[in-house]
Amino acid sequence: MNDHEAFERLLRVDSQQPVAAVLRLLVELGLSVCGGDEGSLLLLDPSADSLVFAAVVGSASSELVGQSVPVGSGLTGLAAVTGQVQLGAPTFALGGAARDGHSPRSVIAAPMMLAEQCVGVITAVAFDSAKRFTEAHVRLYAQLATVGAVLIGQQRALAVTETADPETLSAQRSIAQSISRLTSQKPEQIASLAAMLRALEALSLGDAR
Amino acid sequence: MSADEPLLLRALRSAPETLALAPLEPVTVAVLDSGIDGSHGLLRGRVVQSFSAVISQGRAVMEPTDPAANNDRYGHGTAVASILAKLAPNAKLVDLRVLGDRALGTSAALVAALKFAIEQRFSVINLSVAASSELAQSLHLLCERAYRQGQTVVAATRNMPLADHGYPAELSSVVSVDSVAISALYAVHYRRTHPIEYAAAGANIEVAAAGGGLSTATGSSFAAPTVSALCALWLGAFPGLRPFEIKSLLKAFALVDPVFDDRFSAL
């Protein structure tokens, strides 16, 4: 899978579209601010329970794009599972020597959370032995990942609207307007309305769940 | 010192770092995390029980695993456990693995593991994980139960800019912890105007790496075990302390965090 296929299949956007460009920009921005060597955007492939490299900035770009990382391993997987930014460092033997001289010296992995679900991870990697990302970088990446998640959420909402037929769209608009009128004129009934809609949803989707 | 004197008053006379050198009762500390590498040199013999959350017939249950084995796929839980083991020599660690191979189902795993820890009456429960608000109600009920039973739940705040600080850290029945860039091992900051009341060292902490060796870790996940270790020390020296007394001790020995001090809040 290349970057075009990754964006198309996992985000339903063309890799040349502005959404993909802005997501790449977030990776570049983070990397330039924190001074890392390599940055990437990985998108969650729920069917394979893996994260797929969709965009990579830095030395290994062409090799990594399209490759998968299992959610059940590594710092990116941990970020996806915990919904928290993870800051990693290399492992040292008890004597103090580095276990692997070629491994990253510092790694940040920030999950893109959409309605409490992880849709991808933004990472930064430094190979310089003197380089250590800080908590300030963690805060920056938390913000960048949140912007990325909002962008993906809007893209998904837009995709739903674009694929719906006019009749369905009109019905959806009508339902939204009714709910809006009811909640503004009868705010005391919001709780019972929510319960009624949940019951209706359970009734309608009961067989599918 | 009189034996009739309230525990809290006796505990207030003992600085936590001196307790680590004193004879202490063993205290069970449950670590709800990615598992623990019980074979690591720094943790050998410290993990007394180990369980992993698995989905069985549609619900999460805790299945026993080998406490002497490496049960950690990510290294997070091993890092957390090593801080606890280092700071609280009397801590008997109970490994409750809730972060599994698949992202799905972790909410159910977290709730099942916390319920298990409460039923088993583990004295201290460390959660260096933060769940979403959809679990708020379930976690609230469980943490209330732990509080009433005298169990101390310590929870790390999350580091993503969302509408809340993560659960159960948001709940007042738990000891909530953020990280701060300080180096003193047993030091705690108190934040009287913030929902996350305490902060401990959480930057570049030397930790055990799953599979062997050492690493460094940064974040609130690695600050929470310092507070859990303090709880274990106090409970080991003064068995019977209640969670509100533990919070009082933390506040009594804490430094006021200048960033969150009332004097600065109006600025």
Side-chain angles (χ1 to χ4, degrees):
Chain A
M1 190 190 298
N2 56 31
D3 69 329
H4 182 84
E5 288 166 339
F7 277 110
E8 173 66 33
R9 187 161 79 77
L10 302 172
L11 276 192
R12 282 186 283 171
V13 298
D14 190 300
S15 64
Q16 303 305 313
Q17 289 296 305
V19 172
V22 175
L23 288 171
R24 279 197 199 92
L25 191 63
L26 293 177
V27 180
E28 288 172 9
L29 176 68
L31 205 59
S32 73
V33 173
C34 75
D37 298 307
E38 207 166 87
S40 61
L41 171 83
L42 299 98
L43 296 172
L44 184 72
D45 181 356
S47 62
D49 200 37
S50 63
L51 289 155
V52 179
F53 281 96
V56 180
V57 178
S59 48
S61 3
S62 56
E63 299 152 28
L64 284 177
V65 169
Q67 287 190 28
S68 293
V69 178
V71 171
S73 68
L75 215 63
T76 50
L78 184 61
V81 170
T82 57
Q84 299 251 56
V85 187
Q86 299 295 334
L87 175 53
T91 299
F92 291 89
L94 289 171
R99 186 193 273 176
D100 178 358
H102 301 291
S103 58
R105 314 305 294 176
S106 198
V107 180
I108 288 182
M112 294 189 287
M113 303 301 293
L114 187 60
E116 310 283 6
Q117 297 292 320
C118 178
V119 292
V121 177
I122 296 180
T123 73
V125 177
F127 292 98
D128 181 349
S129 60
K131 178 71 183 174
R132 286 287 183 276
F133 295 130
T134 65
E135 285 205 85
H137 297 135
V138 166
R139 286 193 291 276
L140 168 73
Y141 268 79
Q143 289 160 353
L144 292 177
T146 303
V147 172
V150 168
L151 206 64
I152 291 171
Q154 289 186 335
Q155 174 60 36
R156 287 188 175 171
L158 188 65
V160 169
T161 310
E162 282 174 347
T163 53
D165 63 87
E167 203 173 319
T168 305
L169 273 178
S170 170
Q172 283 176 340
R173 200 173 296 123
S174 169
I175 292 167
Q177 284 168 348
S178 295
I179 292 172
S180 175
R181 277 194 299 274
L182 195 57
T183 53
S184 62
Q185 290 170 24
K186 299 274 185 186
E188 71 279 7
Q189 291 185 5
I190 288 177
S192 50
L193 177 67
M196 199 174 73
L197 287 171
R198 276 198 300 273
L200 197 61
E201 185 187 8
L203 199 64
S204 305
L205 302 177
D207 292 340
R209 284 182 176 176
Chain B
M1 187 190 300
S2 157
D4 297 331
E5 193 177 23
L7 276 181
L8 180 59
L9 292 182
R10 287 160 57 196
L12 279 167
R13 280 198 285 275
S14 307
E17 55 269 31
T18 61
L19 290 180
L21 304 170
L24 299 167
E25 293 291 318
V27 172
T28 51
V29 183
V31 179
L32 278 69
D33 216 292
S34 61
I36 299 176
D37 180 359
S39 66
H40 194 287
L42 297 178
L43 292 165
R44 207 165 291 140
R46 301 298 302 273
V47 186
V48 293
Q49 293 182 75
S50 184
F51 299 86
S52 183
V54 295
I55 304 296
S56 172
Q57 295 178 329
R59 51 191 284 271
V61 293
M62 303 307 293
E63 278 195 351
T65 49
D66 179 4
N70 182 357
N71 297 312
D72 189 359
R73 306 281 173 91
Y74 293 108
H76 193 267
T78 299
V80 166
S82 68
I83 298 168
L84 259 161
K86 178 183 175 184
L87 298 184
N90 63 323
K92 302 285 181 193
L93 303 177
V94 179
D95 171 15
L96 299 181
R97 183 168 170 247
V98 295
L99 300 175
D101 298 337
R102 301 184 70 87
L104 296 174
T106 53
S107 297
L110 182 67
V111 170
L114 182 56
K115 187 164 179 277
F116 180 79
I118 292 166
E119 285 169 353
Q120 297 296 314
R121 304 261 178 171
F122 298 133
S123 302
V124 181
I125 302 169
N126 185 92
L127 291 109
S128 288
V129 291
S132 66
S133 58
E134 65 187 20
L135 284 188
Q137 188 58 22
S138 312
L139 294 176
H140 170 70
L141 293 173
L142 288 171
C143 291
E144 284 291 309
R145 189 173 151 199
Y147 183 89
R148 289 192 199 120
Q149 289 184 179
Q151 295 166 282
T152 305
V153 179
V154 178
T157 184
R158 69 168 151 208
N159 57 17
M160 289 294 288
L162 300 174
D164 56 63
H165 299 282
Y167 287 85
E170 278 267 340
L171 305 173
S172 54
S173 52
V174 313
V175 180
S176 52
V177 186
D178 199 354
S179 72
V180 64
I182 54 174
S183 56
L185 286 180
Y186 291 97
V188 172
H189 279 202
Y190 174 62
R191 301 171 166 180
R192 61 180 165 181
T193 60
H194 198 274
I196 305 302
E197 293 170 302
Y198 300 97
N204 293 314
I205 309 291
E206 191 172 271
V207 293
L214 300 172
S215 185
T216 56
T218 296
S220 58
S221 290
F222 310 102
T226 289
V227 174
S228 290
L230 288 171
C231 298
L233 291 175
W234 276 314
L235 287 166
F238 306 100
L241 282 170
R242 306 293 292 180
F244 79 93
E245 292 172 311
I246 295 280
K247 277 199 176 193
S248 301
L249 284 166
L250 284 167
K251 179 173 184 307
F253 285 102
L255 307 163
V256 172
D257 191 329
V259 177
F260 291 90
D261 190 354
D262 273 343
R263 287 170 294 172
F264 295 86
S265 63
L267 296 177

